[in-house]
Each structure stands twice: as structure tokens, then as C-alpha cells.
């Protein structure tokens, strides 16, 4: 009789744990990968030109000083289960799994970012040549925060595709002028390998 009571108690305990794991709102297994499918792009001005980590605001009157000119990319992402994903075995541990989902990661890699301008922005870069070396990139490599480096240095390192990044002009143009920028983005992606953006005309001031 005692053994039967112990068996019933253990059975009820296991059932309660499993039931709670299914009804506590944790949602069960979560997708373990994300992919970038598109970008929203905007021309912005840095709130603080000395510290781009403070963010940016939309450009007003299609004019910005070169020290605060920024091109912001916001990725459109989708989460999915990778082919290596497998469901955990049912049991007491399943509740911990359901309530502690792992944040999705990406297998996509940035392969190139090219920037072109319809005008000669400095003498050594005639119109419609790649001026990527005139830009820095601010990106979000992990949960620790943002990072800034030259776009050339960024491309020299194999970087995971990031859903948010900003291109910042790091060189004074030869003269104040109105420019149209074109950015070509390439990645080794799941669904998207290439994205192109052409800006509206914007006046870059130097005074």
C-alpha cells in the first residue's frame, strides 16, 4: 500500500510539472535562428556627433553637417528553426527549457558593403566610385552594446549579419554640395544575399 501511495505521489508531481510547463505562458520551444529578409533605410543626423551611441534623428530640410550625417539601416528579420534543431525529451527539465528560451542567432555573414556618390565628394574619389573608406560603421555585435570602427576594418573581419547598423561619414567633403548616395549590401544569407538603397538628395554642409 505504501509503495502504491509513493507511486501515485510521484506520478502526480511529474504530471503537475509537465502541465505547468505547458500552461505557464512560456510558449514551449522557440526558434533558434533568425534571418534578414529586408532593410528599412533612412538618412539621419547624430544627436551627438562626438558620440554616435546616443542615436540619431531624421534629417530636417534635407540638410546635415558632415560630422553628424548618418545612414541608418534597420533589418527586417524572421525567426526560424534550423535543420539541426531537435525537441527536448519530455520530463522535469522540459519546464526549464520552455521558460528559458535561447535567443536566436544567425548563420548569415556580411560579405561586402559598398557606397557610391553621384558627385565627387573628395578629389581622390570621383563620382560613382566606391567611397566605403570614407565611412565608419556603428553596429550591435552582441548584448554588451554597440561598437564603432571604420567600414574597411569591419569588412576585413568576417562579421555576422546584423539587423541594425549605421554608416557615418568620417571625412569632410571638398565642398558643400548636394549628394545622392547609393549603398550596396551583400551577405551570405538564407533568403536574401543582396540589398541596394539609393538615397534622396541631401545637402552636406562643412561650415
Amino acid at each position: 500500500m505504501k509503495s502504491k501511495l509513493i507511486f501515485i505521489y510521484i506520478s502526480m508531481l511529474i504530471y503537475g510539472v509537465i502541465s505547468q510547463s505547458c500552461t505557464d505562458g512560456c510558449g514551449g520551444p522557440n526558434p533558434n535562428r533568425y534571418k534578414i529578409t529586408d532593410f528599412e533605410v533612412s538618412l539621419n543626423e547624430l544627436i551627438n556627433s562626438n558620440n554616435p551611441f546616443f542615436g540619431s534623428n531624421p534629417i530636417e530640410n534635407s540638410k546635415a553637417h558632415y560630422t553628424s550625417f548618418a545612414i541608418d539601416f534597420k533589418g527586417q528579420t524572421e525567426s526560424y528553426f534550423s535543420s539541426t534543431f531537435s525537441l527536448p525529451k519530455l520530463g522535469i527539465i522540459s519546464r526549464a527549457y520552455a521558460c528559458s528560451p535561447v535567443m536566436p542567432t544567425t548563420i548569415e555573414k556580411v560579405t561586402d558593403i559598398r557606397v557610391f556618390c553621384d558627385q565627387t565628394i573628395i578629389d581622390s574619389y570621383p563620382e560613382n566610385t566606391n567611397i566605403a573608406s570614407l565611412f565608419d560603421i556603428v553596429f550591435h555585435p552582441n548584448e554588451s552594446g554597440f561598437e564603432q570602427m571604420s567600414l574597411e576594418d569591419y569588412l576585413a573581419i568576417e562579421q555576422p549579419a546584423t539587423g541594425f547598423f549605421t554608416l557615418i561619414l568620417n571625412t569632410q567633403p571638398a565642398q558643400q554640395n548636394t549628394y545622392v548616395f547609393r549603398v550596396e549590401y551583400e551577405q551570405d544569407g538564407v533568403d536574401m544575399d543582396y540589398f541596394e538603397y539609393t538615397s534622396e538628395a541631401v545637402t552636406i554642409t562643412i561650415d
Side-chain angles (χ1 to χ4, degrees), residues 63-103:
K63 181 182 291 186
H65 193 266
Y66 83 93
T67 58
S68 61
F69 176 65
I71 308 175
D72 281 345
F73 286 75
K74 180 181 179 181
Q76 306 300 300
T77 63
E78 292 182 6
S79 298
Y80 66 98
F81 290 100
S82 70
S83 59
T84 58
F85 179 85
S86 60
L87 292 173
K89 295 179 180 179
L90 290 177
I92 295 176
I93 299 178
S94 66
R95 181 173 184 270
Y97 180 89
C99 297
S100 303
V102 177
M103 291 299 293

Side-chain angles (χ1 to χ4, degrees), residues 24-25 33 36 39 42 47 61 68 71 79 86 104 108 125-127 136 154 165 167 169 173 176 180-181 183 188 207:
D24 63 2
R33 291 282 188 269
I36 297 174
F39 282 103
S42 58
I47 295 173
N61 302 318
S68 61
I71 308 175
S79 298
S86 60
E108 298 182 314
Y125 288 92
E127 61 186 73
D136 285 354
Y154 174 84
F165 68 90
L167 301 180
L169 190 62
Q176 178 171 310
V180 173
F181 294 92
V183 181
D188 182 6
D207 297 330

Side-chain angles (χ1 to χ4, degrees), residues 136-163:
D136 285 354
I137 184 170
V138 175
F139 61 104
H140 188 54
N142 49 53
E143 296 181 0
S144 64
F146 290 90
E147 190 172 330
Q148 178 180 3
M149 65 175 64
S150 73
L151 183 52
E152 282 189 322
D153 288 345
Y154 174 84
L155 294 172
I157 307 169
E158 190 176 66
Q159 292 284 352
T162 176

Side-chain angles (χ1 to χ4, degrees), residues 34-68:
Y34 73 84
K35 58 187 175 181
I36 297 174
T37 58
D38 202 0
F39 282 103
E40 291 181 4
V41 189
S42 58
L43 299 183
N44 289 346
E45 282 186 290
L46 298 176
I47 295 173
N48 184 336
S49 59
N50 295 317
N51 191 339
F53 305 135
F54 281 101
S56 59
N57 290 320
I59 286 178
E60 296 182 358
N61 302 318
S62 300
K63 181 182 291 186
H65 193 266
Y66 83 93
T67 58
S68 61

